[in-house]
Short mmCIF file of all heavy atoms in Angstrom, two decimals:
data_model
loop_
_atom_site.label_atom_id
_atom_site.label_comp_id
_atom_site.label_asym_id
_atom_site.label_seq_id
_atom_site.Cartn_x
_atom_site.Cartn_y
_atom_site.Cartn_z
N THR A 1179 -59.84 21.46 30.95
CA THR A 1179 -60.18 20.09 31.32
C THR A 1179 -58.92 19.27 31.58
O THR A 1179 -58.83 18.54 32.57
CB THR A 1179 -61.03 19.43 30.22
OG1 THR A 1179 -62.22 20.21 30.00
CG2 THR A 1179 -61.43 18.02 30.62
N ARG A 1180 -57.95 19.39 30.68
CA ARG A 1180 -56.69 18.66 30.85
C ARG A 1180 -56.00 19.07 32.15
O ARG A 1180 -55.49 18.22 32.89
CB ARG A 1180 -55.76 18.93 29.66
CG ARG A 1180 -56.13 18.19 28.39
CD ARG A 1180 -54.98 18.19 27.41
NE ARG A 1180 -54.56 19.55 27.07
CZ ARG A 1180 -55.05 20.27 26.05
NH1 ARG A 1180 -56.00 19.75 25.27
NH2 ARG A 1180 -54.60 21.49 25.80
N GLN A 1181 -56.00 20.36 32.44
CA GLN A 1181 -55.36 20.86 33.66
C GLN A 1181 -56.08 20.36 34.90
O GLN A 1181 -55.44 19.96 35.88
CB GLN A 1181 -55.35 22.40 33.65
CG GLN A 1181 -54.54 23.04 34.79
CD GLN A 1181 -53.09 22.69 34.73
OE1 GLN A 1181 -52.46 22.81 33.69
NE2 GLN A 1181 -52.51 22.23 35.83
N THR A 1182 -57.40 20.36 34.87
CA THR A 1182 -58.19 19.89 36.01
C THR A 1182 -57.93 18.41 36.28
O THR A 1182 -57.78 18.00 37.43
CB THR A 1182 -59.69 20.14 35.76
OG1 THR A 1182 -59.91 21.53 35.50
CG2 THR A 1182 -60.52 19.72 36.97
N VAL A 1183 -57.89 17.62 35.22
CA VAL A 1183 -57.64 16.19 35.37
C VAL A 1183 -56.23 15.94 35.89
O VAL A 1183 -56.02 15.09 36.77
CB VAL A 1183 -57.87 15.46 34.02
CG1 VAL A 1183 -57.43 13.99 34.13
CG2 VAL A 1183 -59.34 15.54 33.62
N SER A 1184 -55.25 16.68 35.37
CA SER A 1184 -53.86 16.49 35.80
C SER A 1184 -53.64 16.93 37.25
O SER A 1184 -52.79 16.39 37.94
CB SER A 1184 -52.90 17.24 34.87
OG SER A 1184 -53.06 18.65 35.00
N ASN A 1185 -54.41 17.92 37.69
CA ASN A 1185 -54.32 18.37 39.09
C ASN A 1185 -54.89 17.36 40.08
O ASN A 1185 -54.64 17.45 41.28
CB ASN A 1185 -55.06 19.70 39.28
CG ASN A 1185 -54.34 20.87 38.63
OD1 ASN A 1185 -53.15 20.79 38.32
ND2 ASN A 1185 -55.04 21.97 38.43
N LYS A 1186 -55.70 16.45 39.55
CA LYS A 1186 -56.37 15.43 40.35
C LYS A 1186 -57.24 16.10 41.41
O LYS A 1186 -58.08 16.89 41.09
CB LYS A 1186 -55.35 14.46 40.96
CG LYS A 1186 -54.54 13.70 39.91
CD LYS A 1186 -53.52 12.77 40.52
CE LYS A 1186 -52.74 12.07 39.42
NZ LYS A 1186 -51.72 11.14 39.96
N GLY A 1187 -57.03 15.80 42.66
CA GLY A 1187 -57.87 16.38 43.70
C GLY A 1187 -59.10 15.53 43.98
O GLY A 1187 -59.52 14.70 43.17
N SER A 1188 -59.69 15.77 45.15
CA SER A 1188 -60.83 14.97 45.58
C SER A 1188 -62.14 15.52 45.00
O SER A 1188 -62.18 16.61 44.44
CB SER A 1188 -60.90 14.93 47.11
OG SER A 1188 -60.98 16.23 47.65
N ALA A 1189 -63.19 14.71 45.16
CA ALA A 1189 -64.51 15.11 44.67
C ALA A 1189 -65.13 16.19 45.53
O ALA A 1189 -64.79 16.35 46.71
CB ALA A 1189 -65.42 13.89 44.62
N GLY A 1190 -66.04 16.97 44.95
CA GLY A 1190 -66.76 17.99 45.70
C GLY A 1190 -68.04 17.44 46.32
O GLY A 1190 -68.16 16.23 46.55
N VAL A 1191 -69.01 18.30 46.53
CA VAL A 1191 -70.25 17.89 47.19
C VAL A 1191 -71.07 16.91 46.36
O VAL A 1191 -71.88 16.15 46.89
CB VAL A 1191 -71.12 19.12 47.55
CG1 VAL A 1191 -70.45 19.96 48.62
CG2 VAL A 1191 -71.44 19.96 46.32
N ASP A 1192 -70.89 16.92 45.03
CA ASP A 1192 -71.67 16.03 44.16
C ASP A 1192 -71.05 14.65 44.02
O ASP A 1192 -71.66 13.75 43.42
CB ASP A 1192 -71.87 16.65 42.78
CG ASP A 1192 -70.55 16.91 42.05
OD1 ASP A 1192 -69.47 16.73 42.66
OD2 ASP A 1192 -70.60 17.30 40.86
N GLY A 1193 -69.85 14.45 44.55
CA GLY A 1193 -69.20 13.15 44.49
C GLY A 1193 -68.52 12.81 43.18
O GLY A 1193 -67.93 11.73 43.03
N MET A 1194 -68.56 13.70 42.18
CA MET A 1194 -67.95 13.42 40.89
C MET A 1194 -66.42 13.50 40.99
O MET A 1194 -65.88 14.44 41.57
CB MET A 1194 -68.43 14.42 39.83
CG MET A 1194 -67.90 14.13 38.42
SD MET A 1194 -68.24 15.43 37.21
CE MET A 1194 -70.02 15.39 37.18
N THR A 1195 -65.73 12.51 40.41
CA THR A 1195 -64.27 12.49 40.40
C THR A 1195 -63.75 13.07 39.09
O THR A 1195 -64.50 13.21 38.11
CB THR A 1195 -63.74 11.06 40.56
OG1 THR A 1195 -64.19 10.27 39.44
CG2 THR A 1195 -64.26 10.44 41.86
N VAL A 1196 -62.45 13.39 39.04
CA VAL A 1196 -61.88 13.98 37.83
C VAL A 1196 -61.92 13.02 36.65
O VAL A 1196 -61.98 13.43 35.49
CB VAL A 1196 -60.42 14.46 38.08
CG1 VAL A 1196 -60.38 15.66 39.01
CG2 VAL A 1196 -59.55 13.33 38.64
N SER A 1197 -61.91 11.72 36.94
CA SER A 1197 -61.95 10.73 35.86
C SER A 1197 -63.30 10.71 35.15
O SER A 1197 -63.42 10.22 34.03
CB SER A 1197 -61.64 9.33 36.42
OG SER A 1197 -62.58 8.96 37.42
N GLU A 1198 -64.32 11.26 35.79
CA GLU A 1198 -65.66 11.29 35.21
C GLU A 1198 -65.96 12.59 34.46
O GLU A 1198 -67.01 12.73 33.85
CB GLU A 1198 -66.71 11.09 36.31
CG GLU A 1198 -66.61 9.78 37.07
CD GLU A 1198 -67.54 9.73 38.28
OE1 GLU A 1198 -67.32 10.50 39.23
OE2 GLU A 1198 -68.46 8.91 38.26
N LEU A 1199 -65.03 13.54 34.51
CA LEU A 1199 -65.30 14.87 33.97
C LEU A 1199 -65.53 14.85 32.47
O LEU A 1199 -66.50 15.44 31.97
CB LEU A 1199 -64.14 15.81 34.31
CG LEU A 1199 -64.23 17.24 33.73
CD1 LEU A 1199 -65.49 17.95 34.23
CD2 LEU A 1199 -62.98 18.05 34.10
N LYS A 1200 -64.65 14.20 31.71
CA LYS A 1200 -64.77 14.20 30.25
C LYS A 1200 -66.09 13.60 29.79
O LYS A 1200 -66.74 14.11 28.88
CB LYS A 1200 -63.59 13.46 29.64
CG LYS A 1200 -62.26 14.20 29.80
CD LYS A 1200 -61.12 13.45 29.14
CE LYS A 1200 -59.80 14.21 29.31
NZ LYS A 1200 -58.65 13.49 28.71
N GLU A 1201 -66.47 12.50 30.41
CA GLU A 1201 -67.75 11.86 30.07
C GLU A 1201 -68.93 12.78 30.37
O GLU A 1201 -69.88 12.86 29.60
CB GLU A 1201 -67.87 10.55 30.85
CG GLU A 1201 -69.10 9.72 30.44
CD GLU A 1201 -69.22 8.44 31.22
OE1 GLU A 1201 -68.23 8.03 31.87
OE2 GLU A 1201 -70.32 7.83 31.21
N TYR A 1202 -68.86 13.49 31.50
CA TYR A 1202 -69.93 14.42 31.88
C TYR A 1202 -70.06 15.53 30.83
O TYR A 1202 -71.17 15.90 30.43
CB TYR A 1202 -69.63 15.02 33.26
CG TYR A 1202 -70.62 16.09 33.67
CD1 TYR A 1202 -71.80 15.77 34.30
CD2 TYR A 1202 -70.36 17.44 33.39
CE1 TYR A 1202 -72.72 16.76 34.67
CE2 TYR A 1202 -71.25 18.42 33.75
CZ TYR A 1202 -72.43 18.09 34.38
OH TYR A 1202 -73.33 19.07 34.74
N LEU A 1203 -68.91 16.08 30.40
CA LEU A 1203 -68.94 17.17 29.43
C LEU A 1203 -69.50 16.73 28.09
O LEU A 1203 -70.19 17.49 27.40
CB LEU A 1203 -67.54 17.76 29.25
CG LEU A 1203 -67.00 18.57 30.44
CD1 LEU A 1203 -65.55 18.98 30.20
CD2 LEU A 1203 -67.86 19.79 30.72
N GLN A 1204 -69.22 15.51 27.68
CA GLN A 1204 -69.76 14.99 26.42
C GLN A 1204 -71.28 15.02 26.41
O GLN A 1204 -71.90 15.26 25.37
CB GLN A 1204 -69.25 13.57 26.18
CG GLN A 1204 -67.77 13.50 25.81
CD GLN A 1204 -67.25 12.07 25.71
OE1 GLN A 1204 -67.99 11.12 25.97
NE2 GLN A 1204 -66.00 11.89 25.35
N THR A 1205 -71.88 14.79 27.57
CA THR A 1205 -73.34 14.71 27.68
C THR A 1205 -73.98 16.06 28.01
O THR A 1205 -75.04 16.39 27.47
CB THR A 1205 -73.73 13.68 28.75
OG1 THR A 1205 -73.04 12.45 28.51
CG2 THR A 1205 -75.23 13.44 28.75
N HIS A 1206 -73.34 16.85 28.87
CA HIS A 1206 -73.99 18.03 29.44
C HIS A 1206 -73.35 19.36 29.05
O HIS A 1206 -73.81 20.42 29.51
CB HIS A 1206 -73.99 17.94 30.98
CG HIS A 1206 -74.72 16.74 31.51
ND1 HIS A 1206 -74.10 15.54 31.76
CD2 HIS A 1206 -76.04 16.57 31.84
CE1 HIS A 1206 -74.99 14.66 32.22
NE2 HIS A 1206 -76.17 15.26 32.27
N GLN A 1207 -72.32 19.35 28.23
CA GLN A 1207 -71.61 20.59 27.93
C GLN A 1207 -72.50 21.67 27.32
O GLN A 1207 -72.47 22.83 27.76
CB GLN A 1207 -70.42 20.31 26.99
CG GLN A 1207 -69.58 21.55 26.68
CD GLN A 1207 -68.30 21.21 25.95
OE1 GLN A 1207 -67.54 20.37 26.40
NE2 GLN A 1207 -68.04 21.86 24.83
N VAL A 1208 -73.30 21.32 26.34
CA VAL A 1208 -74.15 22.30 25.66
C VAL A 1208 -75.13 22.94 26.64
O VAL A 1208 -75.30 24.17 26.67
CB VAL A 1208 -74.91 21.64 24.48
CG1 VAL A 1208 -75.88 22.64 23.86
CG2 VAL A 1208 -73.93 21.13 23.43
N THR A 1209 -75.78 22.11 27.45
CA THR A 1209 -76.74 22.61 28.44
C THR A 1209 -76.05 23.52 29.45
O THR A 1209 -76.57 24.60 29.81
CB THR A 1209 -77.41 21.44 29.18
OG1 THR A 1209 -77.98 20.54 28.24
CG2 THR A 1209 -78.48 21.95 30.13
N LEU A 1210 -74.89 23.09 29.92
CA LEU A 1210 -74.13 23.87 30.91
C LEU A 1210 -73.75 25.24 30.36
O LEU A 1210 -73.96 26.26 31.03
CB LEU A 1210 -72.87 23.09 31.31
CG LEU A 1210 -71.91 23.75 32.30
CD1 LEU A 1210 -72.57 23.92 33.66
CD2 LEU A 1210 -70.61 22.94 32.42
N PHE A 1211 -73.22 25.27 29.15
CA PHE A 1211 -72.77 26.54 28.56
C PHE A 1211 -73.94 27.46 28.23
O PHE A 1211 -73.82 28.68 28.35
CB PHE A 1211 -71.93 26.27 27.31
CG PHE A 1211 -70.58 25.64 27.59
CD1 PHE A 1211 -70.19 25.35 28.88
CD2 PHE A 1211 -69.71 25.34 26.56
CE1 PHE A 1211 -68.95 24.76 29.15
CE2 PHE A 1211 -68.47 24.77 26.81
CZ PHE A 1211 -68.10 24.47 28.11
N THR A 1212 -75.05 26.88 27.84
CA THR A 1212 -76.25 27.69 27.56
C THR A 1212 -76.73 28.40 28.83
O THR A 1212 -77.09 29.59 28.80
CB THR A 1212 -77.38 26.80 27.00
OG1 THR A 1212 -76.92 26.13 25.82
CG2 THR A 1212 -78.60 27.64 26.67
N LYS A 1213 -76.73 27.68 29.93
CA LYS A 1213 -77.11 28.29 31.22
C LYS A 1213 -76.18 29.43 31.59
O LYS A 1213 -76.61 30.47 32.09
CB LYS A 1213 -77.10 27.23 32.32
CG LYS A 1213 -78.29 26.29 32.32
CD LYS A 1213 -78.22 25.35 33.51
CE LYS A 1213 -79.44 24.42 33.56
NZ LYS A 1213 -79.37 23.49 34.72
N ILE A 1214 -74.87 29.23 31.36
CA ILE A 1214 -73.89 30.27 31.70
C ILE A 1214 -74.13 31.53 30.87
O ILE A 1214 -74.19 32.64 31.40
CB ILE A 1214 -72.46 29.74 31.50
CG1 ILE A 1214 -72.14 28.67 32.54
CG2 ILE A 1214 -71.45 30.89 31.59
CD1 ILE A 1214 -70.82 27.95 32.31
N VAL A 1215 -74.28 31.38 29.56
CA VAL A 1215 -74.47 32.52 28.66
C VAL A 1215 -75.77 33.26 28.97
O VAL A 1215 -75.83 34.49 28.92
CB VAL A 1215 -74.42 32.05 27.19
CG1 VAL A 1215 -74.81 33.19 26.25
CG2 VAL A 1215 -73.04 31.51 26.84
N ASN A 1216 -76.82 32.51 29.31
CA ASN A 1216 -78.13 33.11 29.61
C ASN A 1216 -78.24 33.58 31.07
O ASN A 1216 -79.32 33.98 31.52
CB ASN A 1216 -79.25 32.12 29.30
CG ASN A 1216 -79.36 31.82 27.81
OD1 ASN A 1216 -79.00 32.64 26.98
ND2 ASN A 1216 -79.84 30.63 27.47
N GLU A 1217 -77.13 33.48 31.81
CA GLU A 1217 -77.06 33.92 33.20
C GLU A 1217 -78.07 33.19 34.11
O GLU A 1217 -78.63 33.76 35.05
CB GLU A 1217 -77.25 35.44 33.31
CG GLU A 1217 -76.18 36.23 32.56
CD GLU A 1217 -76.24 37.72 32.81
OE1 GLU A 1217 -76.94 38.13 33.76
OE2 GLU A 1217 -75.60 38.48 32.07
N LYS A 1218 -78.28 31.91 33.81
CA LYS A 1218 -79.15 31.08 34.65
C LYS A 1218 -78.35 30.04 35.45
O LYS A 1218 -78.93 29.26 36.21
CB LYS A 1218 -80.19 30.37 33.78
CG LYS A 1218 -81.18 31.33 33.14
CD LYS A 1218 -82.22 30.59 32.32
CE LYS A 1218 -83.23 31.55 31.70
NZ LYS A 1218 -84.25 30.82 30.88
N TYR A 1219 -77.07 30.08 35.30
CA TYR A 1219 -76.20 29.10 35.96
C TYR A 1219 -76.03 29.44 37.44
O TYR A 1219 -75.84 30.60 37.81
CB TYR A 1219 -74.85 29.06 35.26
CG TYR A 1219 -73.81 28.21 35.96
CD1 TYR A 1219 -73.84 26.83 35.87
CD2 TYR A 1219 -72.81 28.80 36.72
CE1 TYR A 1219 -72.89 26.05 36.50
CE2 TYR A 1219 -71.85 28.04 37.36
CZ TYR A 1219 -71.90 26.67 37.25
OH TYR A 1219 -70.97 25.91 37.90
N ARG A 1220 -76.09 28.43 38.30
CA ARG A 1220 -75.86 28.59 39.73
C ARG A 1220 -74.84 27.53 40.19
O ARG A 1220 -75.07 26.34 39.98
CB ARG A 1220 -77.16 28.41 40.53
CG ARG A 1220 -78.18 29.53 40.34
CD ARG A 1220 -77.78 30.79 41.05
NE ARG A 1220 -78.81 31.83 40.97
CZ ARG A 1220 -78.99 32.64 39.97
NH1 ARG A 1220 -78.20 32.53 38.89
NH2 ARG A 1220 -79.93 33.56 39.97
N PRO A 1221 -73.76 27.97 40.78
CA PRO A 1221 -72.75 26.99 41.23
C PRO A 1221 -73.23 26.20 42.44
O PRO A 1221 -74.05 26.68 43.22
CB PRO A 1221 -71.55 27.86 41.60
CG PRO A 1221 -72.13 29.19 41.95
CD PRO A 1221 -73.35 29.36 41.09
N GLN A 1222 -72.69 25.00 42.58
CA GLN A 1222 -72.99 24.19 43.75
C GLN A 1222 -72.15 24.65 44.94
O GLN A 1222 -71.19 25.42 44.80
CB GLN A 1222 -72.70 22.72 43.45
CG GLN A 1222 -73.59 22.13 42.37
CD GLN A 1222 -73.45 20.63 42.26
OE1 GLN A 1222 -73.78 19.88 43.16
NE2 GLN A 1222 -72.96 20.18 41.11
N ALA A 1223 -72.54 24.18 46.10
CA ALA A 1223 -71.80 24.54 47.32
C ALA A 1223 -70.38 23.99 47.28
O ALA A 1223 -70.08 23.03 46.57
CB ALA A 1223 -72.54 24.02 48.55
N ILE A 1224 -69.52 24.62 48.05
CA ILE A 1224 -68.12 24.19 48.18
C ILE A 1224 -68.02 23.23 49.37
O ILE A 1224 -68.62 23.47 50.41
CB ILE A 1224 -67.20 25.41 48.40
CG1 ILE A 1224 -67.28 26.35 47.21
CG2 ILE A 1224 -65.76 24.98 48.63
CD1 ILE A 1224 -66.65 27.70 47.46
N LEU A 1225 -67.26 22.18 49.20
CA LEU A 1225 -67.04 21.23 50.28
C LEU A 1225 -65.90 21.73 51.17
O LEU A 1225 -64.78 21.92 50.71
CB LEU A 1225 -66.71 19.85 49.72
CG LEU A 1225 -66.45 18.74 50.75
CD1 LEU A 1225 -67.70 18.46 51.58
CD2 LEU A 1225 -65.97 17.46 50.05
#
């Protein structure tokens, strides 16, 4: 997370910026990781 924020970069297809990443993880981290472990995770398209 620290590396991603420090790299900056523009938003992807969902419009989320790096400044919003930490807040997103606080809310959705558990759900996101559960999907990954259960092999139900699907990545979004690349811009």
Side-chain angles (χ1 to χ4, degrees):
T1179 302
R1180 284 196 302 270
Q1181 187 63 49
T1182 304
V1183 172
S1184 68
N1185 288 343
K1186 299 179 181 180
S1188 57
V1191 293
D1192 61 354
M1194 184 189 297
T1195 63
V1196 290
S1197 60
E1198 300 171 294
L1199 176 60
K1200 290 182 180 179
E1201 186 181 344
Y1202 175 86
L1203 289 175
Q1204 288 174 357
T1205 309
H1206 300 91
Q1207 183 171 307
V1208 175
T1209 306
L1210 178 66
F1211 291 0
T1212 303
K1213 283 184 178 180
I1214 291 172
V1215 172
N1216 294 332
E1217 300 188 14
K1218 293 182 179 179
Y1219 173 77
R1220 291 286 185 278
Q1222 296 189 65
I1224 299 168
L1225 180 64

